[in-house]
Amino acid sequence: MLVEEVKLIQYRNYKELELQFHPKLNILVGENAQGKTNVLEALYLCAIGKSFRTNKDQEMINMVKESAYVKVKVKKQTDKVDIEVLLNKEKNKKIKINKLSLTKYGDLLGNLNIVLFSPEDLKIIKEGPSERRKFMNNDISQILPKYYYTLNQYNKILQQRNKILKDFRGKKFDLEIWDEQLVNSGTWLMIYRRNFIKRIALLAKLTHRKITDGLEELEIHYDSNIKVKDNDEFEEIKNKFLKQLKENKDLEMMRRLTLTGPHRDDMIFKINGLEVKNYGSQGQQRTAVLSLKLAELELMKGEVGEYPILLLDDVMSELDGKRQNYLIQNLKNVQTFITTTIIEPLNIKNKQQHKLFTVCNGEVSTISSK
Ligand SMILES: Nc1ncnc2c1ncn2[C@@H]1O[C@H](COP(=O)(O)OP(=O)(O)OP(=O)(O)O)[C@@H](O)[C@H]1O
Ligand SMILES: [Mg+2]
């Protein structure tokens, strides 16, 4: 799929902007703080319904304005989709698909698939488990909208259960109905996550092998909070989840928090048997993320039937020549958006058809197109 056009009004540092994109490669070049990432963020907003930089939608509205508007025209193999997002300081955002307002944000997912690769993604490897859960949640939601709904349901139940535990003042109370619901949606989450990781792990392993000329084996594992076997099915997982909840009840009452369930899941990344988080060099960590991102592309292609669009925010200059080349070779069929402060090191420009834009203080001009 591809984004043919984007329109921004009062979005971050843009007054009004309309851009036609190249079907293959789009390079946005400019100094720091000019608005390059803002354009990628706007595309991401139309795909996922939120920013990748902030949880506060208001921040995307131009500072001195009350509302902002983004529209993208998406072309798929068989149809075209217009996505519009209207942000308002006072009200909730409004999303329209082909002019029809959505009643549930989840219905946006799947209209424009996207893979984002930014320096922040190193966090997936280096930081705490919540970063890895965020990765799973964002990715699985895109290919499986029912995951998004199950996750929301699970989080609501979790909040309720936590509230009961928090309000507990030594009186007797019953958690059982909450346990049952938590376990039901939680078990589905675990099954979706296990399947997803199994598939992405295989794709990432193959990619990583190629990038490192067979020197490194990348393993990715699902480290679920509920200890289950690989081939356990729904009922078995559910029973183990319930059992673990029961065993933890005293501790939970003491800590006044739900300590058991997929909200505590994690993923493990290993290279040649060693955990990348603790033993990997900077370069290995970066390469592992690159392999993961390329695996995401392939996984989405397999699921959706066409490639998502790819946003590379400030990552090219951080990769060495060999990795840059590998990336370029693998992007031939993927519409890609690259932001960079310096164009010279990107030998990519000479190798592929592209459109080159300069971004300066909220204004974008096209420099070349081939
Ligand atoms: N809500 C807003 N209203 C007006 N301007 C904003 C708003 N949010 C951000 N900006 C401005 O947008 C600019 C940053 O844009 P962006 O993050 O796209 O920069 P960039 O070109 O990607 O820079 P870098 O190379 O440093 O990553 C800053 O000048 C910032 O002040
Ligand atoms: Mg930027």
Side-chain angles (χ1 to χ4, degrees):
M1 57 184 75
L2 35 109
V3 176
E4 294 183 310
E5 221 179 280
V6 69
K7 183 172 183 175
L8 308 180
I9 301 174
Q10 296 169 190
Y11 187 89
R12 296 244 188 218
N13 65 337
Y14 290 98
K15 276 198 196 97
E16 206 172 325
L17 177 76
E18 227 179 291
L19 294 178
Q20 269 81 42
F21 291 123
H22 193 280
K24 295 211 159 127
L25 180 60
N26 296 277
I27 307 172
L28 299 154
V29 60
E31 291 179 2
N32 292 136
Q34 301 304 309
K36 303 183 295 295
T37 303
N38 293 345
V39 174
L40 302 198
E41 184 189 44
L43 300 181
Y44 190 93
L45 173 68
C46 290
I48 311 289
K50 60 184 184 195
S51 165
F52 55 84
R53 293 195 289 191
T54 173
N55 285 323
K56 297 191 190 105
D57 288 341
Q58 289 88 341
E59 284 177 16
M60 291 179 276
I61 302 171
N62 185 280
M63 225 107 57
V64 295
K65 303 288 184 190
E66 294 302 307
S67 63
Y69 172 83
V70 184
K71 178 177 181 179
V72 293
K73 284 183 180 292
V74 180
K75 187 175 171 217
K76 303 199 191 192
Q77 264 163 12
T78 50
D79 58 349
K80 290 195 173 198
V81 188
D82 283 359
I83 304 172
E84 295 167 276
V85 181
L86 186 68
L87 303 170
N88 193 299
K89 277 212 170 118
E90 305 296 326
K91 295 184 233 156
N92 284 338
K93 67 192 151 208
K94 271 202 190 119
I95 303 178
K96 284 185 186 173
I97 294 183
N98 291 336
K99 300 208 160 64
L100 283 177
S101 291
L102 294 188
T103 45
K104 294 181 288 178
Y105 292 142
D107 289 348
L108 173 67
L109 298 168
N111 282 288
L112 170 60
N113 289 112
I114 208 160
V115 169
L116 165 73
F117 185 12
S118 82
E120 294 273 290
D121 284 313
L122 261 190
K123 284 186 182 168
I124 298 172
I125 305 251
K126 280 166 80 164
E127 298 206 350
S130 67
E131 291 296 326
R132 289 177 284 283
R133 287 193 295 269
K134 198 159 88 186
F135 164 75
M136 290 190 262
N137 291 342
N138 278 341
D139 257 49
I140 309 174
S141 295
Q142 275 202 69
I143 47 178
L144 198 69
K146 67 181 170 191
Y147 178 89
Y148 172 85
Y149 292 113
T150 313
L151 179 69
N152 277 352
Q153 195 183 24
Y154 180 84
N155 284 335
K156 272 191 205 133
I157 301 163
L158 181 66
Q159 264 177 15
Q160 293 286 348
R161 196 177 182 278
N162 279 341
K163 190 172 177 321
I164 293 173
L165 283 164
K166 200 155 209 84
D167 294 344
F168 166 67
R169 294 274 183 277
K171 278 178 279 166
K172 270 207 159 171
F173 63 92
D174 200 358
L175 274 178
E176 258 168 45
I177 47 162
W178 295 108
D179 288 359
E180 182 67 25
Q181 292 186 44
L182 191 80
V183 164
N184 257 322
S185 45
T187 300
W188 279 119
L189 286 185
M190 290 167 64
I191 290 174
Y192 296 145
R193 285 178 179 177
R194 185 175 67 184
N195 290 344
F196 167 75
I197 292 174
K198 215 181 267 170
R199 289 159 62 205
I200 203 153
L202 179 63
L203 292 164
K205 188 220 275 280
L206 298 174
T207 305
H208 199 86
R209 234 185 239 162
K210 280 192 212 144
I211 304 180
T212 61
D213 296 326
L215 291 175
E216 292 184 4
E217 281 291 293
L218 173 68
E219 289 168 56
I220 305 175
H221 300 286
Y222 178 31
D223 182 18
S224 65
N225 178 260
I226 310 297
K227 295 303 158 212
V228 291
K229 290 206 189 91
D230 240 15
N231 52 356
D232 277 351
E233 298 200 2
F234 188 87
E235 283 304 317
E236 287 158 308
I237 299 177
K238 205 178 136 175
N239 291 335
K240 287 179 183 171
F241 192 168
L242 268 174
K243 186 162 168 267
Q244 217 168 301
L245 262 180
K246 282 212 176 75
E247 284 165 3
N248 272 343
K249 196 156 259 171
D250 290 346
L251 191 62
E252 286 190 337
M253 295 195 11
M254 219 159 67
R255 299 264 310 271
R256 295 181 170 181
L257 203 62
T258 304
L259 301 170
T260 314
H263 60 291
R264 301 215 147 194
D265 277 352
D266 201 352
M267 294 167 75
I268 298 170
F269 290 78
K270 286 182 181 175
I271 288 179
N272 294 343
L274 294 175
E275 250 199 86
V276 189
K277 188 178 179 183
N278 305 323
Y279 298 99
S281 71
Q282 281 278 11
Q284 278 178 319
Q285 292 177 348
R286 264 194 211 126
T287 310
V289 180
L290 174 62
S291 303
L292 185 70
K293 292 287 149 179
L294 292 171
E296 275 186 79
L297 283 180
E298 294 303 328
L299 189 112
M300 279 192 202
K301 166 84 177 0
E303 255 333 280
V304 179
E306 49 188 320
Y307 277 111
I309 65 165
L310 175 67
L311 312 182
L312 300 175
D313 190 20
D314 257 341
V315 286
M316 276 315 239
S317 55
E318 294 201 3
L319 298 171
D320 65 21
K322 186 175 154 198
R323 282 160 182 70
Q324 279 192 19
N325 276 333
Y326 187 88
L327 191 53
I328 298 161
Q329 295 304 323
N330 281 275
L331 296 184
K332 292 210 174 92
N333 302 313
V334 183
Q335 191 192 27
T336 305
F337 300 81
I338 294 180
T339 67
T340 176
T341 46
I342 29 168
I343 189 73
E344 280 74 28
L346 295 182
N347 48 12
I348 189 167
K349 197 168 129 256
N350 308 323
K351 295 192 176 157
Q352 258 203 34
Q353 291 182 312
H354 68 274
K355 201 163 177 180
L356 182 64
F357 303 91
T358 49
V359 184
C360 185
N361 195 18
E363 310 249 338
V364 180
S365 29
T366 311
I367 302 191
S368 64
S369 184
K370 75 166 190 180

